[in-house]
Amino acid sequence: MAHIFFALYPLAMSSEFQQLSDKVAQLAALAQSLRRENAELRLHASALTDENSELTRRIEVAHQRVAAVLEKLPAAQIPVMDEEENV
């Protein structure tokens, strides 16, 4: 019986080694995929940051334009009522 065990032992070790090797290969592929995805996300985040900066700048320019137009408008004339007129 021991002879059969030792005869099959190399096959079992070979199978376990192959399974481990397959798992290591899967892990390496996953790591590479995650590195690629991370690089893409960094590029996308950088592009969004640039876009946000541009939009912020445009909002500030628009704000300055509106403020300049408001400065040019005459002040609203609000009539002041006497207390007798309120009655």
Side-chain angles (χ1 to χ4, degrees):
M1 188 75 140
H3 182 65
I4 294 174
F5 173 75
F6 287 117
L8 296 177
Y9 185 74
L11 293 175
M13 286 299 293
S14 175
S15 175
E16 287 178 16
F17 179 75
Q18 185 59 47
Q19 289 175 349
L20 180 59
S21 178
D22 291 344
K23 287 182 181 184
V24 168
Q26 288 175 348
L27 182 60
L30 177 61
Q32 181 61 32
S33 173
L34 290 173
R35 278 191 206 99
R36 192 177 314 112
E37 181 182 8
N38 193 14
E40 291 170 1
L41 289 172
R42 286 179 188 269
L43 286 173
H44 188 63
S46 178
L48 290 174
T49 298
D50 292 345
E51 180 183 8
N52 188 36
S53 295
E54 174 61 17
L55 292 173
T56 300
R57 185 193 67 76
R58 289 172 61 186
I59 288 171
E60 181 58 33
V61 169
H63 183 275
Q64 291 170 358
R65 285 179 168 172
V66 169
V69 168
L70 290 176
E71 286 290 322
K72 292 179 182 178
L73 291 177
Q77 299 294 328
I78 302 174
V80 179
M81 300 178 127
D82 290 336
E83 287 187 32
E84 293 175 6
E85 293 176 18
N86 286 335
V87 179

